[in-house]
Amino acid sequence: MLVLGIETSCDETGVALYHSEQGLLAHALYSQIALHAEYGGVVPELASRDHIRKLLPLVDEVLEKASLSKADIDAVAYTKGPGLIGALLVGACTGRAIAMGLGVPAIGVHHMEGHLLAPQLEDSPPPYPFVALLVSGGHTQLIEVQALGEYTLLGESLDDAAGEAFDKAAKMLDLDYPGGPRLAAMAEQGEAGRFKFPRPMCDRPGLDFSFSGLKTFTLNTVTKHALDDGLPDDQTCADIAHAFQEAVADTLVIKCRRALEQCGMKSLVIAGGVSANTRLRQKLEAALAKMGAKVFYARHEFCTDNGAMIAYAGCQRLLAGQSETLAVEVRPRWPMTELAGLSTAKAE
Ligand code: ATP
Ligand code: MG
Ligand code: FE
């Protein structure tokens, strides 16, 4: 089964072709980062309009890359939520229309299930069951995964998501949007141990997170060391970036270990933009090796938003017989625990 995958939930237009037997055949991504950079964050209406401009050319591009034509497409998967409503509608309307025009089924995919399943596109995919840490721009969640669609929420952030905290801390250090990867690069120049940032909510039981205090701590540190231009010197900025990244990574590691112990599991999947963070991967690998557990993640480009994860997730659900009606429905807010498993009733 050849599935065309479409992702438009935020500021990336992602398109891919995934074949159930042959694997990923082609993918293409257009990032709107430059468009939103001057505003310091995503402007929803600009995002929707840009998805309209880029989506169909990207569909043509992946077909050409795979030397296939529209007639070869057996089904269409598009992101149905959560995300920006206008951006979602572009992908959903286009995806649904392509499917109707071709007379093939369509499936609306949960964006976070897409992230969660992205590591399965790699050579050694994680075996079920596992614990998943979803760490992205909008989510920080620990989830017990028994099988595809069988999710139990173990804990989540009570305020900012990890990626959001990275982006906000980066802004305080005068780094351009989206600052997460830039802060991570800056942290490499930082001196270990100069600043010690708190590890929020780690001294009490439970699996929830909170990153807003860390954000305030960062702001206070920046302000305290600021020179006349409002920023600390370059080395101090790097030292702050280093301390911030260590604190976020350690906090995530502590809770991941706790979740694995609680569930009696030995496999951890990390997914979403922050799972691209090298320091987090190193720390998790070291900590999990000590407990005989293993961490799985996607290649860098499939940690952040992409069409491949949507094509893959959609394919799994389509193979199980699920599909959408002709109605175009998007869900800007959509808890992943509401999803049905593969053996359960067909999608709404
Ligand atoms: P969601 O998936 O929750 O709807 P999103 O789609 O905006 O949110 P992603 O695309 O999964 O989020 O990830 C983007 C986030 O990941 C941004 O906050 C970005 O700063 C962060 N990020 C990406 N790479 C890194 C990195 N190497 N280190 C830290 N953060 C990173
Ligand atoms: Mg994005
Ligand atoms: Fe995402």
Side-chain angles (χ1 to χ4, degrees):
M1 178 191 279
L2 180 70
V3 181
L4 172 71
I6 295 175
E7 155 61 35
T8 65
S9 70
C10 189
D11 61 344
E12 258 106 23
T13 320
V15 178
L17 288 167
Y18 180 83
H19 192 280
S20 49
E21 275 89 50
Q22 296 160 31
L24 186 66
L25 300 184
H27 66 98
L29 185 85
Y30 178 81
S31 171
Q32 304 177 355
I33 283 175
L35 175 74
H36 301 290
E38 65 174 296
Y39 304 97
V42 180
V43 184
E45 186 53 26
L46 293 183
S48 317
R49 293 178 197 192
D50 212 43
H51 285 307
I52 294 176
R53 276 191 286 270
K54 299 296 174 355
L55 186 49
L56 288 175
L58 284 179
V59 171
D60 290 337
E61 186 181 323
V62 291
L63 285 168
E64 199 180 314
K65 273 188 187 167
S67 305
L68 293 167
S69 72
K70 286 202 179 77
D72 296 312
I73 296 170
D74 296 311
V76 181
Y78 54 83
T79 304
K80 178 172 167 178
L84 302 169
I85 187 164
L88 288 168
L89 277 169
V90 176
C93 291
T94 310
R96 195 68 202 79
I98 293 174
M100 192 173 86
L102 294 173
V104 299
I107 182 95
V109 172
H110 193 289
H111 180 78
M112 297 314 294
E113 180 169 79
H115 277 304
L116 176 83
L117 300 181
Q120 297 187 13
L121 288 161
E122 302 306 324
D123 286 341
S124 55
Y128 291 110
F130 54 78
V131 169
L133 171 73
L134 298 179
V135 265
S136 57
H139 294 79
T140 301
Q141 295 185 326
L142 273 165
I143 293 172
E144 181 180 347
V145 180
Q146 288 296 341
L148 195 144
E150 290 174 33
Y151 308 131
T152 309
L153 183 66
L154 299 169
E156 65 185 330
S157 178
L158 305 177
D159 40 61
D160 291 354
E164 192 182 356
F166 260 97
D167 293 341
K168 287 177 178 168
K171 213 167 185 172
M172 294 170 199
L173 295 168
D174 202 30
L175 297 171
D176 285 342
Y177 158 87
R182 291 187 170 92
L183 184 144
M186 188 183 232
E188 282 182 25
Q189 312 305 319
E191 188 192 316
R194 176 164 169 211
F195 296 109
K196 176 84 177 161
F197 281 33
R199 273 64 175 152
M201 293 182 69
C202 289
D203 50 0
R204 51 179 126 150
L207 294 169
D208 287 333
F209 304 90
S210 166
F211 292 108
S212 70
L214 201 48
K215 203 173 60 185
T216 311
F217 199 92
T218 307
L219 184 62
N220 290 342
T221 313
V222 170
T223 311
K224 191 172 158 202
H225 295 270
L227 305 174
D228 289 346
D229 65 353
L231 271 182
D233 63 71
D234 288 354
Q235 186 57 48
T236 304
C237 282
D239 295 344
I240 293 172
H242 183 92
F244 173 85
Q245 177 171 262
E246 293 296 298
V248 174
D250 282 345
T251 305
L252 293 172
V253 170
I254 290 166
K255 297 289 164 82
C256 284
R257 268 197 348 234
R258 209 179 271 178
L260 286 168
E261 277 162 12
Q262 184 177 312
C263 297
M265 290 185 188
K266 295 284 182 197
S267 301
L268 176 80
V269 164
I270 55 171
V274 182
S275 70
N277 187 275
T278 309
R279 190 71 181 128
L280 173 65
R281 289 178 174 192
Q282 280 172 356
K283 281 183 175 268
L284 272 174
E285 263 153 17
L288 266 59
K290 280 191 201 144
M291 57 191 288
K294 206 171 166 226
V295 56
F296 297 85
Y297 41 76
R299 72 195 82 165
H300 266 75
E301 61 181 332
F302 293 163
C303 289
T304 43
D305 295 348
N306 65 86
M309 67 185 194
I310 302 303
Y312 178 80
C315 185
Q316 307 314 306
R317 291 193 169 270
L318 286 155
L319 288 174
Q322 300 182 358
S323 65
E324 298 290 317
T325 62
L326 275 181
V328 176
E329 193 203 356
V330 295
R331 298 199 49 186
R333 289 175 178 276
W334 189 10
M336 201 168 75
T337 43
E338 283 181 14
L339 290 176
L342 291 191
S343 54
T344 335
K346 297 195 173 186
E348 331 83 271

